Every structure is written in C-alpha cells, then in structure tokens.
Amino acid sequence: MINRRSLRTLASAALLGGFSFIAHGQEFDPIFNDGAVLQCEMAANVWGSAPPDAAVIIHLDGQKLATATADASGKWLVALSAQPLGGPHVLEATVGSQSAKISEVWFGEVWLATGQSNMAATLENSHGGKEALAKTLPEIRFVKVPKKYGLPVEASYTSTDLKWKTFAPGPNREIAAVAFYFAEKLQPALGRKVGIIQSSHGGTPAQAWTPLWALEGEPELKHYADIVHRSQQDPRSKEEWRKDANAIQHWVADMAAWKKTRVGPQPPHPGRPDPGNPWSPKTPTVLYENMISPLVPYTARGIIWYQGEANTANPKEYEKLFPAMIAAWRKTWNRPDWPFLFVQLASYGAPGDWPGLRAAQTLTRDTVPHTGMALAIDVGEEKDIHPKAKQPVGDRLARLALHQVYGKDVPDRGPMVEKLNVSDGAVTVSFQHTGNGLQTSDGARTVPGFEVAGTDGKFHPAEARIVSDSTIELKAEAIEQPARVRYAWRSWVEPPVTLQNSDALPAEPFQMEIGGAIGG
C-alpha cells in the first residue's frame, strides 16, 4: 500500500519527501556529490541527514555559511545565501567532530529536464550527434536520474545513481540530446556553468508525473487518483504486479524489434495492462513519487519539458492535466513563478488527436504565467515518433530561456496568427512575431499547409501566398463564403510546413474562425 505520508498535500511536507535518511551518520543527500552545480544568485537548498535533533553547521571553503537542526527523523535542510557564480568550492556539513564533504562544487545555472522519450533520446540518435559526442565541454555538467517505479517507494537513490558528470566522451552518451543542445546554446550566451538534472522516461503520460493530491484536487482528474486508491486495496503481491508490468515492457520491446523486419508472427499481446499497476511507469503519480520527489527541493532556475505524445487520445483532458501538473510542481518546490518551458509536439503520422494536443499545449502557454513553448512542427518524421532533428528543439528552448528568464534580446517565437480578414472571397491572415518579415524555409512565396472551410465546416486546401512582411493571402476556389482557417492542423503535415519568420522560427499551428478566436 502507498505510504500516505509521502503523498501529503502540504508543501512543507513535500519539501522533506525526497530526503535520504542515514540513521547514525552525517550525510548530504545523494544528489549532492563531487562536481555538483548549485544555482547561483538564488538561495540554494541543500539537505541531508544527521543524528536526530543534531545541530548541523554548513561551511563553504572553510567559512561558516549556515546552520540547521536535524528533525526527529534525522533530516535537515538549509537554504544557502545567494552565491555568485563560480567555483570550484568545497561544501562541508559538520555535526560535532563528524563531517561530510563534497568537492568541485560550482555555482551556475541549473535546469531540470524532464518528460517522455523525446527528452530521453540520446545524442547518438540525433542529427549531428556523433560530432557532439566527440566534444569535451567542462562548462556543462549533468545528472541522469535512473528509472524507478513502485508504490510505495521502496528505496532511495544513492550518490552513485545521481552522480554529477562532466560532458565528455563516454558520459555524454547518457544525456538527452534536447537537454544537451539546450545547455550548449545557453552556456556561452551566459558565460556560466550549466547543470542539467535529467529525469525522463519514454512512453509515459503526464498523470504519471503528477502528485496524487493534485489529481485528487481536480474533478476532471480525480479518476486517476481513484485508480491509485483501488490499487492500494488490490490483494496482488509485489511479485505479481511486477510480473504483469514486465510482460508489457517485454512485449513493447518485441514489437519494436518485429516492426523492423516483419519476419515471423507478430508477438502476441500479453493482455490489457492494469492502469493502477504500481510497477508500471504509466500509472498515475508513480514517476512523480519515484523520479521527481527525490529531487525536491533542489534549487533550479527552471524546467524544460518534452512530453504529450502519450496523452494524444484526450487533448481536452490535457488542458486541465498539464496546468495542474505545473501548478503542483511549483507548489511542491514553493516556486509559484518557476519558469516552465516546454516543447509542442512535432509533426508525426500516427493515430490520436495530435493537433488537439498541440492546441492544449498552446492554451497552457497562453494562460499559465511564466511558461514558454518551443515549436517542433517543422522537424517531425512521419514514421518515427522520435525525430532526429533535436538541435533545433534544444536551440528554441534556450531562446525561450534567454529571452523570458534571463532578459536577453533574443527572438524566441515564430509567426503567430493575429487576425483574419475576408475580401472578395480571399482571406488575409495577419501575423505577429514576424521579425524582419515572413519567409519560407525553401525560399518560395507560396506556403503549404493552409486550409479554409465554409459554413458547412468542411476544410479544403487553400492557395497561400506571402503578400507582405506580416500577411498571407489565401484563396480556396471551392469556398464561396470562408468561415474558418487552419494551418498545419494535422498529425502529420504533408507537404512539410515551411512558413517561418526572419529568424527561421516556424509559424505556430492554429485553427481560427473568421472574426473569432484561435481554436474556435
């Protein structure tokens, strides 16, 4: 059964939820180890374990910096005073004559990188990845959080699990390509060390990354909490649950191998998985408890997120789920304005309402403060859910961070529809965020991807041409009275989209009524 204490809704309790506990020793939490990057210019949380009620003194390079008192269970937490960027430093926690020490500590920019498989896909599988793997970049360091499941959470991570590594041949094969390209662009622009904490898992829905109390608090999401509660009452043993979960994972791997050759019979499905299986990464709250909670409350400048593919069956629900998850993380970290930058889904030829999910992501960007959305509509692959063009995605996330978080004068958004006008059967589409003018990636003045619908609601392809720096004219001979326009409103957009601004940032997909609102 799930330990209810680990799922309490109070932010103060959540701050303690990820602590490791060494009953009779003085230790830093495993996330703090040699080579760690701490957030500069902000009060940085540091925590660990000591004998119950012990007085803990924190030193930086031998200078007393903070004090704390361990609670009855031996857990302590301090917020270090804001430190300037730089290093290396030695951080030490002492209790009486005992001490714990970590070396090569730097103050720089820390970002949490999380999501599903496109925030897990490595450089090895990205365009230009081989060249990147040959680099040594000591100004970029990272932690890759191992995959872990189970409710209640059974074991803490160790410092070996959460070891900080420098980007160099060998270790660099572990970091997600999107996270690396984000850091690679961010670091020279800021002149600071960048630390990435990567916690991601392929094929997982947003509800798996959301605290139970957040699911319970939304009527539209409570059914996910009910799934978890039902599993608490299930008589199956841990071994039975794990056997079922492993059967599904093995089938997924077997299917992936079979699809490459189509030789022999298709692997038989082991049966519908139980949605409440505590050892399945798809189960509501299981990844939050196992792979996010242990990181709380590590101080990071912001979050980059790439997920949504696993929720395309229900975009309307995602309109509630995604903001609820963001709000819950911010509450747990006690960071109500924590920057949350995410990737809109790429173009991909698959079942599911991908246009609707992209619209839900856009709605989140437009309604949840301190969020930003990087587009990937132009870099997708029809038959691969993991597009290999990861550098543009990381670059666009970094642009968002540089502009929105660090206040740099960096273009961070592509063309976005502003209004529609109709005259003599032609529709004029006006855009904002066009930079020095609309253009296409292939240099043509004609633009694919636009459709127009009449009063019957049926969409037809439209001839689209750039007529000024900020406007496009559409003509659809089959439509006498245009009523609605949409652009790139398909799971897989064919022919590929080309519309962009002068900074080569792609135009946002949209669906809009004449005289109405986006998404209408």
Side-chain angles (χ1 to χ4, degrees):
M1 293 186 50
I2 296 175
N3 184 340
R4 299 290 296 166
R5 174 176 290 181
S6 71
L7 299 174
R8 285 180 294 183
T9 61
L10 295 177
S12 58
L15 290 178
L16 298 176
F19 286 13
S20 64
F21 176 52
I22 309 297
H24 301 291
Q26 165 54 31
E27 300 282 346
F28 284 100
D29 188 84
I31 190 68
F32 302 101
N33 54 75
D34 290 350
V37 181
L38 304 183
Q39 181 59 51
C40 69
E41 300 171 356
M42 292 176 61
N45 294 319
V46 176
W47 65 93
S49 57
D53 305 316
V56 183
I57 303 175
I58 308 299
H59 293 86
L60 185 68
D61 298 331
Q63 300 295 313
K64 182 178 177 180
L65 194 60
T67 60
T69 301
D71 66 13
S73 66
K75 298 172 182 177
W76 59 265
L77 165 70
V78 296
L80 304 181
S81 57
Q83 298 295 311
L85 65 97
H89 299 288
V90 175
L91 193 65
E92 186 175 11
T94 63
V95 175
S97 61
Q98 294 187 341
S99 68
K101 185 182 297 184
I102 54 174
S103 303
E104 285 289 317
V105 175
W106 292 79
F107 287 91
E109 295 300 320
V110 182
W111 284 79
L112 175 60
T114 185
Q116 60 179 111
S117 55
N118 276 306
M119 190 58 89
T122 60
L123 284 162
E124 194 170 17
N125 297 313
S126 72
H127 293 319
K130 291 183 179 180
E131 292 79 3
L133 288 171
K135 296 179 180 180
T136 297
L137 300 173
E139 296 304 306
I140 298 176
R141 294 188 175 185
F142 68 95
V143 170
K144 184 177 180 181
V145 178
K147 297 176 182 178
K148 191 155 70 74
Y149 328 117
L151 294 175
V153 177
E154 290 194 317
S156 299
Y157 288 115
T158 68
S159 57
T160 300
D161 294 330
L162 302 179
K163 181 172 179 55
W164 281 90
K165 300 176 182 179
T166 296
F167 188 88
N172 56 19
R173 292 183 177 276
E174 301 175 26
I175 192 172
V178 168
F180 166 71
Y181 288 125
F182 169 81
E184 186 184 41
K185 186 173 181 66
L186 200 66
Q187 192 281 317
L190 299 174
R192 303 178 173 196
K193 257 191 171 52
V194 174
I196 299 292
I197 301 176
Q198 178 188 328
S199 184
S200 51
H201 195 305
T204 54
Q207 59 267 25
W209 297 95
T210 305
L212 182 62
W213 57 263
L215 298 172
E216 290 174 326
E218 291 283 346
E220 297 92 336
L221 306 178
K222 187 177 179 297
H223 65 100
Y224 288 124
D226 293 340
I227 288 172
V228 178
H229 291 311
R230 283 196 297 271
S231 74
Q232 293 179 274
Q233 308 303 322
D234 196 289
R236 275 173 282 187
S237 67
K238 167 186 169 181
E239 289 71 26
E240 290 174 308
W241 282 118
R242 295 191 70 170
K243 181 179 179 181
D244 291 345
N246 290 338
I248 293 294
Q249 292 185 30
H250 289 154
W251 176 79
V252 170
D254 291 344
M255 277 296 296
W258 178 81
K259 286 180 179 179
K260 291 180 179 179
T261 63
R262 304 281 177 172
V263 174
Q266 181 173 323
H269 197 287
R272 185 174 181 177
D274 191 306
N277 189 324
W279 274 266
S280 167
K282 298 179 184 292
T283 294
T285 207
V286 73
L287 295 182
Y288 174 81
E289 284 297 310
N290 282 274
M291 297 181 65
I292 296 299
S293 185
L295 306 176
V296 179
Y298 202 101
T299 305
R301 185 72 73 178
I303 302 166
I304 54 174
W305 169 265
Y306 195 160
Q307 191 276 337
E309 296 92 338
N311 290 94
T312 55
N314 197 343
K316 293 302 293 183
E317 181 181 80
Y318 202 76
E319 292 178 5
K320 290 284 187 179
L321 176 59
F322 191 27
M325 190 204 81
I326 295 171
W329 287 23
R330 286 172 169 174
K331 181 176 181 179
T332 303
W333 259 269
N334 194 25
R335 296 279 302 279
D337 59 351
W338 206 11
F340 196 106
L341 313 178
F342 58 91
V343 182
Q344 189 188 56
L345 293 189
S347 186
Y348 174 55
D353 189 359
W354 287 58
L357 199 287
R358 294 188 197 110
Q361 293 174 310
T362 302
L363 181 66
T364 298
R365 189 271 314 274
D366 292 343
T367 58
V368 178
H370 308 292
T371 60
M373 185 176 75
L375 267 65
I377 192 69
D378 58 330
V379 299
E381 298 182 28
E382 182 180 10
K383 300 185 183 300
D384 193 344
I385 200 171
H386 307 121
K388 295 179 177 60
K390 291 292 193 287
Q391 185 167 11
V393 178
D395 178 275
R396 291 165 190 175
L397 285 168
R399 284 174 173 266
L400 288 169
L402 289 170
H403 180 75
Q404 296 187 21
V405 180
Y406 299 102
K408 303 291 185 181
D409 186 16
V410 176
D412 66 335
R413 290 180 65 169
M416 175 182 173
V417 65
E418 185 174 26
K419 61 182 179 180
L420 304 175
N421 291 312
V422 179
S423 178
D424 297 328
V427 180
T428 300
V429 186
S430 298
F431 289 87
Q432 51 186 325
H433 304 296
T434 59
N436 293 326
L438 293 171
Q439 57 182 234
T440 57
S441 56
D442 60 4
R445 300 297 288 179
T446 55
V447 184
F450 282 92
E451 297 174 279
V452 177
T455 54
D456 62 359
K458 295 181 180 179
F459 281 93
H460 299 267
E463 295 180 6
R465 179 175 295 275
I466 298 173
V467 294
S468 78
D469 285 345
S470 61
T471 58
I472 285 179
E473 185 180 79
L474 309 179
K475 292 183 178 179
E477 294 183 0
I479 306 298
E480 294 183 2
Q481 186 177 348
R484 182 175 291 190
V485 175
R486 67 186 186 188
Y487 170 71
W489 203 262
R490 296 178 179 273
S491 297
W492 168 251
V493 184
E494 184 65 42
V497 296
T498 60
L499 185 62
Q500 59 186 31
N501 63 14
S502 56
D503 297 293
L505 295 173
E508 296 185 8
F510 71 88
Q511 180 169 255
M512 187 174 183
E513 291 183 353
I514 304 294
I518 296 175

